[in-house]
Amino acid sequence: MTAYDRACHDGATSGLNAEVPVQQLSVDVLVIGWGKGGKTLAGALGRAGEQVAVVERSPQMYGGTCINIACVPTKALVVQAEKKRESDDAATWFAASVTKRDALTAKLRARNHAMLDEVDTVTLIDGTARFVGPHEVEVTGGDDVLRVTAETVVINTGTEPARPPIPGVDGPRVLDSTQIQHVDPFPRRLVVVGGGFIGLEFAGMFARFGSEVTVLEQGERLLPGEDADVARVVEQTMTDAGVTFRFGAGASSFDDDGAQVTVAVDGGDDLVADAVLLATGRTPVTKDLGLDVAGVDTDERGFVRVDDHLRTSVDGVYAVGDVNGGPQFTYISLDDNRVVMSALTGDGSRTTKDRVAVPTTTFITPPFARVGLNVTQAREQGRPVKVASKAVADIAAMPRPKIVEETHGVIGFVVDAETDEVLGATLFCVDAQELINLVALAMRAGVTATQLRDGIWTHPSSTEALNEVLAGLKPLA
């Protein structure tokens, strides 16, 4: 990979500013944003001989959101929080954990840079891209303006934390999920606005670091899309870990007096905190891309509209990763890469409709993982099913939770009563992030519940739970 050296190119002057020279670059493929899907495409197409340009607006984001500010660093902090002992000073332990987090992300960022650096047909361009035509962008951020044209353009700009229009939301102690990873000083009192998956991960993490955590959730319970009994187990587990929940409550304003922040709570008493985390969703990074100039359609939230082949409304322009409004997971971005590669270098047969039994995991403690249908969804569909559910602490054939001293949780399955097909699983237990992948593979491969129940699994392992839990399948009442 080469870094584009603008100084060595002669160019015309910009029509917008005659003092700013405009350089020209033409490539086969232009990737805007260094996310999982885009960087994988760039590497593969570059190795295949295509001339590829990758535009990234921040060197601190080489490698994408996941390794720099999301999946990897946050889970690294979760692990460090789980390791903290009661005798450890919270602020000192947190600071040391952040140092380890930063070392890890720096190492991964360098490795990601090296992976593309090995491909001499890939050109890295630092700067911010904006469309000036369907297949042409202007990149600014240096001493000049670079115009890049490409036959194929891949939009891969991802998402960023949303900041709702609440009075005081721009205060210094009101942080998003990126900022709070480096919060200083350590918040002895933390208010989390939003009880979704991101809010729960940070709430559990900071409670284990030693913060007094209160979560404001506008709904009447946690995890409204999950079975109520499972949500109650998750809530109780997090309560046991020191998290306080206030339901039917939202933040109406934030007042920072220079030493602390007061959170005005709808329908309840105000809260005083050292920091506030906004966990109110994410928004696409499309506002300043000039998509209207290119003719690329977006939905009402700003996500790029795509079809099943990830094609936008402009021929030859694709959108991969979170920016296209699909499930916001790194592994979905990786699969987006496969869909686009099929379109560009294959027979074009692969689509987003090919995705079956896609698992998810929320990294609270223990992890909460899901795939397929839960009991509520099965009941709504009116399917003839059998279900099984058992508290982790009561599963005799699963000693691993007792060994690692984490016996919270519940494991449940939904199975077709006629075909014995596994329709879904809910795993709130130690090693759930790994076990869910086995179950998802079984669902895709047509492995039956009976085969999982009678499987021979290593001991002691979390997989052994399948033997006992699936032996208790009963018709859904």
Side-chain angles (χ1 to χ4, degrees):
M1 180 177 66
T2 58
Y4 190 81
D5 183 1
R6 297 172 180 171
C8 69
H9 293 268
D10 293 327
T13 56
S14 170
L16 298 177
N17 185 341
E19 300 301 321
V20 179
V22 176
Q23 313 298 340
Q24 303 285 340
L25 177 66
S26 179
V27 294
D28 300 312
V29 181
L30 168 63
V31 178
I32 306 174
W34 197 333
K36 182 67 173 181
K39 70 185 180 187
T40 310
L41 274 166
L45 292 170
R47 286 188 290 272
E50 298 286 313
Q51 293 295 320
V52 182
V54 177
V55 179
E56 174 51 55
R57 62 181 180 175
S58 171
Q60 294 304 308
M61 290 299 290
Y62 287 171
T65 296
C66 180
I67 69 166
N68 288 294
I69 58 174
C71 324
V72 174
T74 58
K75 278 51 176 182
L77 289 175
V78 167
V79 169
Q80 292 303 314
E82 291 173 342
K83 290 181 177 181
K84 179 183 173 294
R85 300 162 299 187
E86 288 188 13
S87 59
D88 294 316
D89 177 71
T92 302
W93 188 269
F94 178 72
S97 299
V98 171
T99 298
K100 292 179 180 179
R101 169 219 180 270
D102 292 350
L104 175 60
T105 57
K107 182 178 180 180
L108 293 176
R109 190 161 53 246
R111 179 56 188 144
N112 270 258
H113 187 279
M115 288 169 64
L116 288 188
D117 200 28
E118 298 167 355
V119 187
D120 58 11
T121 54
V122 176
T123 299
L124 170 62
I125 305 169
D126 290 319
T128 301
R130 181 178 179 84
F131 281 94
V132 293
H135 289 264
E136 185 174 15
V137 302
E138 279 192 350
V139 182
T140 57
D143 295 331
D144 58 13
V145 174
L146 174 64
R147 285 205 172 195
V148 184
T149 59
E151 181 179 348
T152 301
V153 180
V154 180
I155 303 169
N156 184 47
T157 50
T159 58
E160 59 190 3
R163 297 187 77 88
I166 301 174
V169 73
D170 294 325
R173 289 173 178 79
V174 181
L175 311 174
D176 60 35
S177 59
T178 299
Q179 296 167 328
I180 200 167
Q181 294 175 50
H182 289 92
V183 60
D184 185 24
F186 176 79
R188 300 289 177 176
R189 299 163 299 176
L190 174 67
V191 172
V192 179
V193 181
F197 295 127
I198 293 176
L200 292 183
E201 285 191 3
F202 278 99
M205 174 204 307
F206 273 91
R208 283 179 166 77
F209 275 128
S211 296
E212 178 184 305
V213 180
T214 301
V215 176
L216 301 180
E217 169 53 44
Q218 292 185 330
E220 295 305 314
R221 69 172 177 90
L222 290 184
L223 307 176
E226 303 300 335
D227 296 327
D229 57 340
V230 173
R232 283 193 294 271
V233 175
V234 173
E235 179 186 343
Q236 186 59 57
T237 299
M238 298 194 69
T239 299
D240 291 345
V243 179
T244 298
F245 292 97
R246 289 176 62 169
F247 296 105
S252 58
S253 69
F254 308 106
D255 182 15
D256 192 321
D257 66 4
Q260 58 191 13
V261 57
T262 299
V263 183
V265 181
D266 294 329
D269 296 333
D270 293 352
L271 293 170
V272 177
D274 301 303
V276 173
L277 167 63
L278 293 174
T280 51
R282 296 181 67 83
T283 187
V285 182
T286 55
K287 181 180 179 181
D288 299 320
L289 267 179
L291 296 178
D292 54 338
V293 177
V296 175
D297 292 340
T298 60
D299 66 14
E300 64 281 358
R301 298 175 298 165
F303 288 96
V304 178
R305 295 185 187 275
V306 293
D307 63 11
D308 298 334
H309 296 268
L310 301 178
R311 297 174 296 203
T312 71
S313 54
V314 176
D315 187 39
V317 179
Y318 298 80
V320 301
D322 297 356
V323 75
N324 66 27
Q328 295 183 18
F329 303 113
T330 294
Y331 45 93
I332 293 297
S333 297
L334 178 62
D335 196 60
D336 282 357
N337 148 76
R338 300 184 186 111
V339 172
V340 176
M341 282 296 291
S342 174
L344 296 179
T345 65
D347 61 5
S349 61
R350 186 155 190 160
T351 75
T352 56
K353 290 184 177 180
D354 298 331
R355 295 167 183 164
V356 177
V358 177
T360 64
T361 299
T362 302
F363 285 83
I364 52 180
T365 304
F368 177 79
R370 282 268 290 109
V371 66
L373 300 179
N374 58 28
V375 176
T376 301
Q377 293 164 335
R379 182 177 282 114
E380 291 173 347
Q381 291 187 12
R383 299 185 64 163
V385 299
K386 292 181 179 181
V387 298
S389 180
K390 200 162 189 176
V392 169
D394 297 333
I395 303 174
M398 185 188 184
R400 177 160 165 75
K402 300 177 179 65
I403 294 171
V404 300
E405 300 180 343
E406 179 50 85
T407 58
H408 289 94
V410 63
I411 294 178
F413 281 86
V414 176
V415 176
D416 190 293
E418 298 174 350
T419 66
D420 202 31
E421 173 189 5
V422 178
L423 300 178
T426 299
L427 309 176
F428 179 40
C429 63
V430 170
D431 301 325
Q433 78 281 7
E434 301 292 348
L435 185 55
I436 200 68
N437 290 321
L438 171 65
V439 177
L441 178 61
M443 292 172 64
R444 291 192 290 269
V447 176
T448 66
T450 298
Q451 289 172 315
L452 287 178
R453 181 199 67 193
D454 296 340
I456 301 174
W457 315 115
T458 57
H459 176 81
S461 70
S462 294
T463 318
E464 291 177 290
L466 302 179
N467 298 137
E468 186 169 326
V469 175
L470 287 171
L473 284 169
K474 297 178 180 179
L476 178 62

